[in-house]
Amino acid sequence: MTPHFAVLCGAIAAWFVVRRRFVAAMICAAGALSGLVGTLPGRSLSVSANGAAETVALLVFNARVENATPERAHALLLDTQADVVVLLEPSATLLDALRSDEVLRRRLPHRWLPDRAGPGFMVVLSAWPQRAGRDWDEGPAATVVRGTREMLVDRPQGAFALLAIHPDSPRSHERWRTGNQTVEDAAARVRDRLVPTGLPVVVAGDLNSPPMGARVRALCKGTGLRSAKPLLVPAGTYPGGWRWPFSLAIDDALVSAGVGVTGWRTLEGAGSDHAPVLIRLVIPVSAASE
């Protein structure tokens, strides 16, 4: 909550200035400055306005297994013109809708959704083919690795590596431990599997950590990744119906160097306790994909 701390200290400093208590104002201003400095490493301040032609629209959505209005979640997937969707915690009804919806299948034909998959099954839908497996020569069925989805997405304008992740929320000591282990495993796979491909890398999902949180910092350490959420975009995804500063951006993407962000915005929650986030990325053509 470093950005929240910086804003709060700045507001209190301004109040002390009005009260002409300048020493107290300086102390609070120093606190605001230290908070601001703490948010800067590896963060973009705002979205970029260029590169629209190469933009990849990425939708990250924790749909919630207990979603009482799965039809709204289904409509969100239909109405949002995303190229890649990382769908987490879908209900059984939403999974059935994905299987039967031919319109969505034509738009996002590549996914791994077996008939036996039940509520909570993570699904990555994409407009372009997904390659997975040890030698990257298998299809979507091989993307499932230790609770994540690991793949190369063969976009015609330039392939990129994608890792979808959803570590356990820290509601108990055990879930904190297992979630952290998921993050450590994912960071190792980024370093050992994805970065060596020479392709741009995107890690996306419900991280159960805001951009300055321990888990995001662990994912970024030694991988060259940075949070896609710009610092000056005041928005959070959880709790879904709350506005910043009363929400945290725990649903996000982390991107490698050279990947630009031309948009980061939350959408209506569609019955979930998480707000979906639509991220527009400019992914360059790498030498490995030419």
Side-chain angles (χ1 to χ4, degrees):
M1 299 185 71
T2 307
H4 302 72
F5 170 80
V7 171
L8 178 62
C9 285
I12 296 175
W15 183 79
F16 276 133
V17 168
V18 172
R19 297 293 300 272
R20 304 182 65 81
R21 298 179 61 180
F22 298 113
V23 173
M26 290 177 62
I27 293 173
C28 291
L33 181 62
S34 67
L36 179 62
V37 169
T39 63
L40 291 178
R43 298 287 300 280
S44 298
L45 291 180
S46 60
V47 298
S48 170
N50 56 11
E54 299 87 17
T55 295
V56 172
L58 169 66
L59 177 67
V60 179
F61 182 29
N62 183 327
R64 192 183 186 189
V65 171
E66 299 85 4
N67 193 326
T69 56
E71 67 279 359
R72 292 176 57 197
H74 182 202
L76 173 75
L77 299 180
L78 281 172
D79 296 341
T80 304
Q81 297 298 312
D83 303 306
V84 178
V85 176
V86 175
L87 181 64
L88 309 164
E89 295 194 8
S91 66
T93 303
L94 181 55
L95 290 176
D96 289 341
L98 291 182
R99 294 185 180 101
S100 61
D101 188 339
E102 291 302 322
V103 173
L104 193 61
R105 181 175 292 277
R106 286 193 296 271
R107 191 197 310 159
L108 300 171
H110 304 281
R111 81 278 295 273
W112 172 240
L113 181 54
D115 292 338
R116 66 181 182 278
F121 188 82
M122 184 193 303
V123 185
V124 177
L125 306 98
S126 63
W128 308 294
Q130 303 173 7
R131 284 193 287 126
R134 180 176 178 179
D135 298 317
W136 305 111
D137 56 359
E138 300 179 53
T143 61
V144 181
V145 180
R146 299 178 189 172
T148 64
R149 301 292 182 271
E150 175 188 271
M151 68 192 73
L152 303 185
V153 180
D154 278 329
R155 185 181 64 131
Q157 299 89 340
F160 61 94
L162 173 67
L163 180 74
I165 183 175
H166 186 193
D168 287 342
S169 59
R171 293 196 297 264
S172 67
H173 175 77
E174 179 62 19
R175 290 177 62 88
W176 174 246
R177 186 188 66 80
T178 58
N180 289 348
Q181 186 61 55
T182 298
V183 167
E184 291 176 12
D185 290 345
R189 298 196 71 79
V190 171
R191 289 191 297 268
D192 301 338
R193 284 274 291 166
L194 303 188
V195 171
T197 65
L199 296 172
V201 178
V202 178
V203 175
D206 176 0
L207 306 173
N208 273 307
S209 171
M212 297 305 300
R215 288 178 172 176
V216 169
R217 287 187 282 114
L219 281 167
C220 294
K221 185 177 181 181
T223 62
L225 298 175
R226 60 183 174 83
S227 174
K229 182 185 181 300
L231 181 61
L232 299 183
V233 175
T237 63
Y238 183 84
W242 296 30
R243 296 190 178 277
W244 197 90
F246 303 107
S247 61
L248 296 173
I250 66 174
D251 305 88
D252 195 10
L254 308 177
V255 298
S256 59
V259 177
V261 180
T262 61
W264 198 106
R265 66 185 180 94
T266 57
L267 308 176
E268 290 297 323
S272 175
D273 52 348
H274 289 247
V277 59
L278 182 63
I279 308 169
R280 297 191 179 277
L281 303 174
V282 179
I283 299 180
V285 177
S286 70
S289 63
E290 292 179 329

